[in-house]
Amino acid sequence: MNKKKVVAMLLAGGQGSRLKTLTKHIAKPAVPFGGKYRIIDFPLSNATNSGISDIGVLTQYKPALLNSHIGIGSVWDYDRNVGGLRILQPFTSEDGGRWYTGTANAIFENIDFLEEIDAQYVLILSGDHIYKMDYNDLLEVHKEKCADVTIAVMEVPWEEASRFGILNVDESMKIVEFDEKPENPKNNMASMGIYMFNWKKLKHYLVEDSKNKNSSHDFGKDILPKMLEDGNKMYAWNFEGYWKDVGTVKSFWEANMDLLGENNTLNLYDKDWRIYTRPKNLPPQYIAETAIIDNSLINEGCVVRGEVNNSILFSETRIEEGAVVNNSVIMSNCTIKKGAKVNNAVILEGITVEEGEIIGKEGGEEIYLVSDEGILVE
Amino acid sequence: MDRCIGIINGGDNENNFGGLCKHRPVYMLPFGGRYRLIDFTISNMVNNGIKSVAIYTGKKMRSTMDHIGNGNPWDLNRRFNGLFMFPPILENDYGLYTGDIHQFHSTEPFFEYAKEKYIFICNPDILAKVDLNEAFKYFLDTDADFTLIYKKQTDSDGDFIRKDKMIIDKDGNLKSMGLNLGTEKEFNLFLEMGFIKKDVFLKLIRQSIERGDTNYLRDAMIQNKENYKVNTYEFKGHVENISDLKNYYDANLNLLNEEIANEMFYENGLVYTKSKDEPSTWYGRDSRVQNSIIANGCIIDGNVENSIIFRGVKIGKDAIVKNSIVMQKGIIKNDAIIVNSILDKYTTVEAYARIAGSSTMPYVVEKNQTIRKDE
């Protein structure tokens, strides 16, 4: 059986500077999400659930925590005899060391790796996105259309379309035009930054692009428009489901709150499409007699004695008696002391909110980001 | 502790647990929301630096195989040392094998081959977070052949009647071992764990086989105690001795006491178990949870009080769960009422159904059963 090999390349070097103190010590893919996960758990789990057995994870910005979180990938069953997960960091060679200067450049620098493992298809993924996707659906369309590249797209609200890279297609979903952040979008199909390439074709364009001094070495800005210009077969595949790129503190907070909404479409309880993360081996949560909990997600090791409404508590967080937490995301190892009130906040790991302290306003529009550097309002 | 092998002597004493041990050994009983009893024993060994752990599984070993696997959660999936599983040998040419002596004898090469000179052996039905490094040091410093671990146990409720009672002299050596009949306020409860020199262990096994006078290591040791130095080590922490349905139920509910929970869950390191990758637990708008331990992956819309809820349980609107244990993947539908009960894995309680035991004798719903409302 000569099975054609898909290799996933997961771009996880992003800084996510608009997330402010959330990414002070860690890369954006390592940002905690949904009570117990880190954002990168979603693409990694998608990859393993899609049966992809080779994956390269490209890290660059503050990789220490990300690297130890991923380890050898055993959590996602990537500790394999044949195939598996490799962390691909920038490296030095005869002509010196180079950082990854763009999404395409990061793949270009790892051409040897992809050749070595004999990739047929290369699936480009981003470590910044929260979604559940079976990449086989994308691969099927790609094969069916005999495409050179197939791009996952999704319909976004028309009023937001000008924030995205918009793809204009013909009736067969063949891409006819790229429209990067258009002022007057012709349609609302946005690129999700998920691409399935034929490796040979991609390699050719990566090498060519690397010689172009004016290129920013980016898939969306350079590689894909160039491929279209040259008349390659490029198709769009329409994804339906939850997808979020959390760019700002507010959208990070919103994405977490989405999980508590009545119309939530990101089902974390689906046993056939589990999201895996490194286990912390903590005991269960304890809910005391004095606790009042309403529409909230609570993780292992928490002790709740106070009031928690519409909130997400990560592991080992303690809510003391009389404390009130509303519409907030509280990360691991925080303590909310007696009589403290927390509204519309994102509280980073290990923070103690002192007795009687009040953070945020009830019913306000602002989000309060609490870290050891103080409180930022957004 | 590198010089010590850990042995888990899983027995076949499963008759006192209603339907709960139909398909599993006692040490595989679910405990504390996300664990099995044996997790505490293995984790304590590993956290104290034991590198080789041998498990004598007993007969009903399917759930053991599934749960322990290659020992990965305890980092026992090593290329050197690590986990050894010994399924029982039930008979040979000379007749039926009955006691643990025969099991040990049949695995003699394992002990001979191991470079460790000492053995820590224990019964996984007894939970005690003993600092094994301290105890091992005492064993070595006193140059004992056996060091048996005990607790000075008070027993005003008679929970420890007919448990092993040790008579100890003023130097801490074992004088004799009998049964506690509750005549004293406090007695020395043998925790069925201890250290033994490997050569003494092998000598006792061979001698018992040759003489044919005993089937159990414990008896062989006591019969021969005059020939060896047998001393004792006192453990001062919390002990759960799981030997029947009632104390299994009580041991779970004891975890609602913060002090006990902290000791059992955190002392000497965390307790490891097979991960189920469940998401966080969701508490709905109408939920009311009081004084309960809740594991991950649950969806709770109803009322829970003084209970232990395992992973992936669903509790519907206006349902009431009180003084109960609901194991993995239980489904409690709307308006059902459950009091003083133990629900094994994958049970369903239909809407408006009611079940209740008493606090002295909990009602047990067996694995995969469905309880419907009386018509």
Side-chain angles (χ1 to χ4, degrees):
Chain A
M1 195 173 74
N2 184 16
K3 207 179 158 210
K4 292 197 169 176
K5 193 192 262 180
V6 182
V7 179
M9 295 293 268
L10 178 49
L11 300 163
Q15 180 184 352
S17 51
R18 286 178 303 152
L19 288 171
K20 299 177 180 166
T21 43
L22 270 165
T23 52
K24 191 186 168 209
H25 302 291
I26 56 179
K28 184 174 163 190
V31 167
F33 175 80
K36 67 177 292 193
Y37 307 100
R38 295 186 186 275
I39 293 173
I40 199 170
D41 294 339
F42 288 84
L44 280 173
S45 301
N46 288 337
T48 195
N49 287 334
S50 299
I52 290 171
S53 53
D54 285 89
I55 188 164
V57 181
L58 297 98
T59 59
Q60 174 154 288
Y61 176 81
K62 295 190 177 172
L65 189 136
L66 199 51
N67 289 354
S68 70
H69 178 70
I70 297 168
I72 56 168
S74 49
V75 171
W76 301 271
D77 261 350
Y78 277 122
D79 53 337
R80 297 176 58 96
N81 191 13
V82 178
L85 176 145
R86 290 83 158 179
I87 299 236
L88 303 169
Q89 293 258 165
F91 52 90
T92 61
S93 58
E94 299 88 333
D95 31 306
R98 295 182 295 271
W99 295 109
Y100 297 150
T101 54
T103 52
N105 174 258
I107 307 298
F108 170 77
E109 293 288 355
N110 289 290
I111 282 180
D112 286 351
F113 163 73
L114 286 160
E115 287 286 282
E116 173 76 32
I117 64 172
D118 196 21
Q120 307 292 316
Y121 300 107
V122 172
L123 173 63
I124 306 294
L125 302 173
S126 165
D128 297 352
H129 302 161
I130 298 160
Y131 65 109
K132 298 201 298 185
M133 183 191 288
D134 189 340
Y135 301 130
N136 289 311
D137 296 341
L138 178 61
L139 181 64
E140 253 169 49
V141 170
H142 183 73
K143 283 181 178 168
E144 212 175 274
K145 304 269 186 191
C146 299
D148 295 311
V149 55
T150 307
I151 301 175
V153 296
M154 68 179 298
E155 287 176 24
V156 293
W158 277 96
E159 61 272 21
E160 286 180 35
S162 53
R163 284 177 43 220
F164 291 90
I166 296 296
L167 268 60
N168 296 321
V169 297
D170 67 13
E171 60 282 357
S172 69
M173 290 299 273
K174 191 160 191 253
I175 298 167
V176 294
E177 190 191 3
F178 286 102
D179 219 352
E180 188 68 19
K181 298 185 181 162
E183 264 178 52
N184 300 305
K186 289 179 209 146
N187 79 57
N188 64 339
M189 280 205 300
S191 166
M192 300 169 70
I194 298 166
Y195 318 117
M196 184 72 78
F197 282 101
N198 284 357
W199 169 234
K200 287 218 167 68
K201 194 66 114 182
L202 174 61
K203 187 184 163 194
H204 169 80
Y205 279 94
L206 288 175
V207 172
E208 203 168 86
D209 176 72
S210 74
K211 293 174 191 152
N212 179 359
K213 292 228 164 63
N214 300 321
S215 170
S216 57
H217 310 303
D218 184 88
F219 278 110
K221 290 191 195 114
D222 306 297
I223 300 283
L224 294 171
K226 178 79 177 105
M227 283 179 80
L228 189 66
E229 198 185 305
D230 291 357
N232 286 288
K233 285 170 90 178
M234 304 171 75
Y235 283 87
W237 168 69
N238 200 0
F239 170 75
E240 283 167 18
Y242 186 92
W243 180 86
K244 200 124 195 173
D245 180 356
V246 288
T248 62
V249 176
K250 186 147 196 183
S251 70
F252 170 78
W253 175 84
E254 279 168 357
N256 277 284
M257 288 300 131
D258 282 348
L259 293 171
L260 301 173
E262 272 168 29
N263 305 319
N264 172 36
T265 49
L266 184 67
N267 179 11
L268 297 172
Y269 293 89
D270 181 2
K271 71 169 172 41
D272 296 328
W273 203 270
R274 273 265 184 265
I275 305 303
Y276 302 99
T277 189
R278 183 166 289 278
K280 289 190 167 180
N281 302 301
L282 293 169
Q285 49 209 274
Y286 174 71
I287 311 298
E289 204 145 0
T290 48
I292 299 170
I293 306 174
D294 180 2
N295 189 36
S296 294
L297 276 170
I298 300 183
N299 193 20
E300 288 166 341
C302 285
V303 177
V304 180
R305 298 179 191 281
E307 198 179 324
V308 182
N309 303 308
N310 302 314
S311 295
I312 295 183
L313 308 186
F314 283 66
S315 59
E316 285 194 294
T317 278
R318 290 159 297 277
I319 312 293
E320 293 188 355
E321 201 174 330
V324 181
V325 177
N326 294 321
N327 309 318
S328 296
V329 178
I330 302 185
M331 292 185 191
S332 306
N333 290 300
C334 290
T335 303
I336 314 297
K337 294 210 163 171
K338 269 182 199 159
K341 286 196 169 47
V342 177
N343 292 297
N344 299 356
V346 174
I347 301 186
L348 299 198
E349 281 175 27
I351 300 288
T352 299
V353 177
E354 297 298 341
E355 223 173 294
E357 199 179 334
I358 292 172
I359 292 172
K361 280 198 295 274
E362 224 167 321
E365 283 286 299
E366 290 91 7
I367 303 305
Y368 300 80
L369 177 63
V370 184
S371 70
D372 49 12
E373 291 185 357
I375 302 176
L376 294 168
V377 185
E378 183 168 314
Chain B
M1 290 297 276
D2 277 14
R3 289 179 289 166
C4 194
I5 305 172
I7 295 183
I8 295 177
N9 196 6
D12 286 314
N13 174 30
E14 298 133 352
N15 302 325
N16 305 325
F17 294 89
L20 294 180
C21 287
K22 242 188 204 171
H23 305 288
R24 57 166 81 92
V26 178
Y27 64 76
M28 280 298 295
L29 280 169
F31 186 73
R34 64 190 298 266
Y35 306 101
R36 306 296 186 123
L37 294 180
I38 196 171
D39 293 340
F40 288 78
T41 304
I42 308 179
S43 301
N44 200 41
M45 285 181 174
V46 169
N47 286 336
N48 277 287
I50 290 180
K51 300 277 194 292
S52 291
V53 174
I55 303 176
Y56 289 83
T57 61
K59 280 179 239 164
K60 294 178 188 171
M61 58 177 295
R62 281 194 193 167
S63 66
T64 316
M65 301 294 287
D66 177 52
H67 180 72
I68 308 282
N70 65 356
N72 186 333
W74 302 272
D75 276 340
L76 288 172
N77 53 334
R78 300 294 93 193
R79 291 183 64 215
F80 309 108
N81 301 320
L83 176 74
F84 300 86
M85 289 262 242
F86 294 125
I89 288 177
L90 303 178
E91 57 184 292
N92 74 353
D93 300 346
Y94 312 106
L96 280 177
Y97 278 175
T98 49
D100 57 9
I101 287 278
H102 301 100
Q103 302 304 334
F104 295 137
H105 181 61
S106 69
T107 49
E108 236 182 21
F110 165 73
F111 294 100
E112 279 167 355
Y113 187 73
K115 68 178 193 305
E116 291 89 345
K117 290 198 165 51
Y118 307 101
I119 291 171
F120 172 71
I121 184 165
C122 67
N123 174 355
D125 305 349
I126 297 177
L127 306 185
K129 298 202 86 175
V130 179
D131 184 334
L132 298 181
N133 277 303
E134 284 278 310
F136 187 54
K137 188 166 176 294
Y138 178 81
F139 168 68
L140 293 180
D141 289 350
T142 53
D143 194 32
D145 294 309
F146 299 92
T147 294
L148 306 182
I149 301 172
Y150 73 99
K151 185 191 174 183
K152 286 193 176 127
Q153 182 71 50
T154 52
D155 185 24
S156 48
D157 295 336
D159 291 335
F160 291 90
I161 298 288
R162 303 192 71 78
K163 299 283 184 281
D164 286 330
K165 171 177 180 167
M166 303 202 314
I167 313 299
I168 300 168
D169 71 15
K170 62 180 188 327
D171 302 319
N173 294 320
L174 180 72
K175 270 170 81 177
S176 63
M177 176 110 63
L179 289 182
N180 170 44
L181 296 180
T183 55
E184 287 173 295
K185 260 195 178 156
E186 185 184 78
F187 76 105
N188 300 321
L189 172 70
F190 178 36
L191 301 184
E192 298 182 44
M193 60 175 80
F195 291 91
I196 179 170
K197 284 179 178 158
K198 188 170 81 179
D199 52 354
V200 174
F201 173 80
L202 286 171
K203 203 167 155 189
L204 274 185
I205 302 288
R206 286 170 187 151
Q207 187 185 307
S208 304
I209 294 283
E210 278 190 342
R211 292 185 188 162
D213 57 354
T214 174
N215 291 327
Y216 292 94
L217 178 67
R218 175 187 177 282
D219 299 341
M221 181 190 71
I222 290 165
Q223 282 166 19
N224 293 285
K225 76 178 170 51
E226 303 309 327
N227 307 326
Y228 298 104
K229 181 172 168 62
V230 184
N231 66 12
T232 57
Y233 178 85
E234 186 189 350
F235 169 65
K236 293 195 166 103
H238 184 71
V239 171
E240 297 290 359
N241 186 337
I242 312 292
S243 59
D244 60 35
L245 191 63
K246 170 76 169 84
N247 64 31
Y248 167 70
Y249 173 75
D250 289 345
N252 270 288
L253 295 188
N254 279 346
L255 294 169
L256 297 175
N257 174 320
E258 192 181 4
E259 217 170 286
I260 293 176
N262 282 338
E263 181 178 338
M264 297 307 280
F265 291 149
Y266 288 105
E267 189 89 12
N268 295 333
L270 291 167
V271 184
Y272 305 106
T273 190
K274 186 178 170 185
S275 171
K276 301 274 186 211
D277 302 293
E278 294 279 1
S280 301
T281 281
W282 182 71
Y283 296 83
R285 296 199 180 280
D286 302 311
S287 70
R288 181 82 174 108
V289 180
Q290 289 173 287
N291 190 37
S292 294
I293 283 177
I294 317 276
N296 262 3
C298 298
I299 295 181
I300 299 181
D301 264 319
N303 303 286
V304 182
E305 195 183 336
N306 302 328
S307 294
I308 312 284
I309 309 295
F310 282 71
R311 291 181 282 197
V313 169
K314 292 193 172 87
I315 299 178
K317 251 188 190 173
D318 296 318
I320 296 174
V321 178
K322 199 173 170 183
N323 307 330
S324 294
I325 300 168
V326 183
M327 293 183 200
Q328 199 183 312
K329 299 275 176 194
I331 297 175
I332 319 278
K333 298 206 174 159
N334 296 356
D335 300 284
I337 298 180
I338 292 156
V339 182
N340 297 333
S341 299
I342 301 176
L343 276 59
D344 205 336
K345 290 164 70 177
Y346 297 97
T347 50
T348 302
V349 180
E350 294 287 355
Y352 295 100
R354 296 171 172 217
I355 52 176
S358 78
S359 61
T360 48
M361 188 43 68
Y363 183 82
V364 175
V365 182
E366 286 180 29
K367 202 172 160 181
N368 297 323
Q369 277 187 340
T370 299
I371 302 285
R372 294 190 177 79
K373 181 179 182 279
D374 290 332
E375 291 304 328

